[in-house]
Amino acid sequence: QEMLGRVASAFAISDEQFQKIVSSLHAELTSGLQKNYKRIGGELHMSPSFIHNYASPNGTALGMAIEASGKRIRISSASFDSSCSLSSSATQVFVTPKSSKHSTSSFFNYIAFCIREFLQTNNLESALGSDSSSGNRRPQRFLPLGISIGLPVSNKNKVAEVAKEDCLDLCGSDIARRLCDTILRSHLPVRVTSVTNNTVSALIAAKYTDKNTCVAASFNHGINAAYMEDINNVESLVSPSGQSTNSSFQVAINTEIGRFGTRTPDTLPLTMWDRRLDRESKHPGARVLEKLVADQYMGEIVRNLITDFMDNQLLFSHSCDVRAISAEYSFHTAYMAPIIEDASSEAKAVEDIFAAEFGISGISLADRMIIRSLCEIVAGRASRLAGAILAALVVKATAESSSASGGSQMSVALSGILFDMNVQLYENTVATLEQYLADHSGATVNVHLQNRCADLFGAAVNAA
């Protein structure tokens, strides 16, 4: 119990620390709009993206989502009627073979293959160029394609960073140009009209459903957030005279919020287990905030805690075979939800998971309670940090969005497997956000959970 208490104390975030995190994040978001932000050592990405069309999409458009790892490519079509309502849609998922990830050329060639397969499977290619009223052929027409990618993209469509675990190396690639060249060589009736980060695409999808959405945040293998900003506040988009081309226009800002803490780690409440995980990661010192909250890392933090308890002879009997649980990243974040949600006095979920996944059976009740407590401690901190992230974003976004929307209530769209798997973590995150806003700004927001295809649909909406 003594060591468990020390762990709980190390992972606790006081109200003072919480306020410091929110204030530091808000300050970074504000300074990130300056023209010289990167030159002065800014941590975030803060790239503006122009949203082409979320209010009145028309016709048929394609959306494509490319995962950061390149392992999967998802393509969908979305058809909108005269009232801009979705009338039909289709989706197909392609798994990228290893041979197609050896070079960027082979990868883009595989994307072209996927597009052709999708067009043929859904009979979209034959419908192009036809006039349904007379049966005559019109001049060649193209399907607009919006691309959503799980990597930071500049407003010149270039991938700006690949500092993520298990990431496809497309750094510096002009996604639109490379794909346009491949599409032309493949004679496909498709035209690339937009390239956006997947969180920006999710924001577009959310705004199509609810125009008052000001923030979209994704908590998946990594974490990211995008929000709406007045174009006049983005120095890189303002002319030397100090005026933008459209003073009432808003742009979506891709923050790459997971990078926070890279240069100022003292802002975040790092424990010895966080530092160990960071030191042993593929990119030490990078995306520090992400490593405290993301699905990819939370389970590993719990596993590090479990092995430390084992080393102190506070978990499992000497006869237990602990080789499986000792392997890095063997304790998946997905295990945490059933363990936390099992509120029974027996904590049977712990026994079931450790017997099935790690070959450790006959765990004592005391050991089960310790493991459940460790999961609760790590998840509790994650919900506090996620709430702080959202609080900073909402405070930043609502200052602009409230004036743009006449002061109506703002909405926040959340997505990601972290929340899909753990309802309690989602509810605690929302409660943390709402409590902070009630105490500090008086603002209220509607929070809703998006489905996993939101980025794909948003890419199609942006292209339509």
Side-chain angles (χ1 to χ4, degrees), residues 288-299:
V288 177
L289 178 56
E290 183 170 276
K291 290 171 182 172
L292 306 183
V293 184
D295 165 76
Q296 184 171 5
Y297 303 104
M298 283 176 58

Side-chain angles (χ1 to χ4, degrees), residues 1-2 19 28 71 101 265 269 282 302 355 408 412 414 426 463:
Q1 290 298 322
E2 181 183 348
Q19 180 59 55
E28 195 70 24
K71 291 179 180 178
K101 294 196 291 182
K282 186 177 180 181
V302 172
S408 58
V412 174
L414 300 181
Y426 170 75

